[in-house]
Amino acid sequence: MKVYLQACLWIVVALWSIFPARAYDFQVGGIYYNLNGEEVTVTYGSDKYSSSYSGDVVIPASVTYEGKTYSVTSIGDGAFYSCGGLTSIIIPESVTSIGDEAFSYCSGLTSVTISESVTSIGDETFFWCIGLISVTIPASVERLGPGVFSGCTNLEEIIVSADNPVYSSLDGVLYNKDKTELVKWPDKKLSVTILESVTSIGDWAFYYCSGLTSITIPESVTSIGDLAFYSCIGLTSIIIPESVTSIGDMAFSYCRGLTSVMIPVSVERLGIGVFSGCTNLEEIIVSADNPVYSSLDGVLYNKDKTELVKWP
């Protein structure tokens, strides 16, 4: 019996690989949907990597299937993932949320209209949408996930409705409402001036801003987030002020242009892999008064040199 059951299991696995479960419940007008009670979620076709959509797509506010009409209330995780042929998308007023990676790697996407009903936009939702030049965030959006516009190498501006209670923008740069956190610097904007009101540089804030060559962080800043300057390959100079106490995981990873970094007395935390992949880094210098870290001959250690933290 045990052998028989194992054989049956192998048959099921084999059939699954040949005839995978359908990723959607139904399809109308070239758009795929998953049922969720009286509502539906826009999803992908046969699988997440199927590039199910192309051209200009207008998502309807409602859809009728088998005689029943459903409201379209969300765009699911990965729904348009890697649809390189997608050129524009209009999201209706019925949609309240856009999922993680929903439009990641949509390299041909040049226009996105986000409706005033959307309250949440997920993690890495527009990651690597290299065709986007401008994005407008409506008043309704209360959450933007980390990395939402990262890798958008041609993005020049992010505009936020003045009525948004959570986010704001100035000169095309995305901030929280009171401008104490720099949330996202558009990749194509190369002249950097950080507002004196900013106390934190957010996670992914300058991620892959490859054209960035130098940056001066004001004395108001106390923290630099995870992946904040990840793969800023053109960055050759960074001045970290004595106000900064925390630098996040992989904050300067793959900044291949850096040759020297100075860690001030104030820094109490350096995240994991903070300088990993900095292939031209020759030295890390730590202020002699720093209570947590030290350096010798350009090598980064903990204070009493019992741990080698980073070899340039």
Side-chain angles (χ1 to χ4, degrees):
M1 177 62 72
K2 184 177 180 180
V3 174
Y4 173 77
L5 290 174
Q6 287 177 333
C8 288
L9 178 61
W10 280 111
I11 291 170
V12 169
V13 170
L15 288 173
W16 179 273
S17 65
I18 298 171
F19 304 108
R22 191 172 63 181
Y24 58 94
D25 291 322
F26 65 90
Q27 180 263 125
V28 173
I31 298 177
Y32 300 89
Y33 301 94
N34 278 332
L35 287 164
N36 182 23
E38 300 298 311
E39 304 170 347
V40 292
T41 297
V42 177
T43 188
Y44 42 80
S46 56
D47 61 67
K48 182 179 175 181
Y49 308 97
S50 61
S51 301
S52 311
Y53 305 97
S54 62
D56 301 329
V57 174
V58 178
I59 298 173
S62 62
V63 62
T64 300
Y65 176 67
E66 293 185 344
K68 187 172 182 177
T69 299
Y70 301 91
S71 179
V72 180
T73 58
S74 60
I75 297 173
D77 295 347
F80 293 84
Y81 186 96
S82 197
C83 291
L86 182 70
T87 52
S88 72
I89 185 84
I90 295 177
I91 299 167
E93 292 289 341
S94 58
V95 169
T96 59
S97 67
I98 304 173
D100 299 345
E101 298 185 317
F103 297 95
S104 285
Y105 297 101
C106 289
S107 56
L109 185 63
T110 59
S111 174
V112 57
T113 302
I114 302 170
S115 68
E116 291 279 351
S117 57
V118 172
T119 60
S120 175
I121 301 177
D123 302 357
E124 301 175 49
T125 296
F126 294 97
F127 184 83
W128 221 260
C129 289
I130 59 175
L132 284 180
I133 296 172
S134 178
V135 175
T136 298
I137 308 297
S140 56
V141 172
E142 299 171 354
R143 178 186 182 268
L144 291 169
V148 62
F149 298 116
S150 294
C152 297
T153 52
N154 288 298
L155 189 62
E156 297 176 358
E157 61 177 2
I158 302 166
I159 302 168
V160 179
S161 167
D163 296 326
N164 189 295
V166 181
Y167 300 99
S168 65
S169 61
L170 181 66
D171 297 330
V173 180
L174 177 64
Y175 298 91
N176 65 346
K177 186 62 178 180
D178 60 5
K179 296 183 177 63
T180 57
E181 180 184 0
L182 195 162
V183 179
K184 176 59 184 169
W185 191 275
D187 292 15
K188 198 70 171 179
K189 192 177 179 69
L190 302 183
S191 178
V192 178
T193 302
I194 298 175
L195 299 177
E196 293 290 340
S197 61
V198 171
T199 59
S200 66
I201 296 174
D203 297 346
W204 303 68
F206 289 85
Y207 182 101
Y208 210 81
C209 290
S210 57
L212 186 67
T213 56
S214 68
I215 186 164
T216 300
I217 299 171
E219 292 285 346
S220 57
V221 171
T222 60
S223 66
I224 299 172
D226 298 344
L227 298 156
F229 294 92
Y230 181 96
S231 204
C232 290
I233 57 176
L235 187 63
T236 58
S237 173
I238 178 79
I239 298 174
I240 303 170
E242 295 207 348
S243 55
V244 171
T245 60
S246 175
I247 301 177
D249 297 349
M250 303 184 79
F252 295 97
S253 287
Y254 296 96
C255 290
R256 299 189 181 110
L258 287 178
T259 57
S260 178
V261 176
M262 175 71 188
I263 306 297
V265 62
S266 55
V267 172
E268 300 170 354
R269 176 185 180 268
L270 290 171
I272 298 168
V274 65
F275 298 116
S276 62
C278 296
T279 51
N280 289 300
L281 190 61
E282 297 174 359
E283 61 178 0
I284 303 166
I285 302 169
V286 180
S287 168
D289 296 325
N290 188 294
V292 181
Y293 301 99
S294 65
S295 61
L296 181 65
D297 297 330
V299 180
L300 177 63
Y301 298 91
N302 65 346
K303 186 61 178 179
D304 59 7
K305 296 183 177 63
T306 57
E307 178 186 1
L308 194 162
V309 179
K310 176 60 183 174
W311 188 276

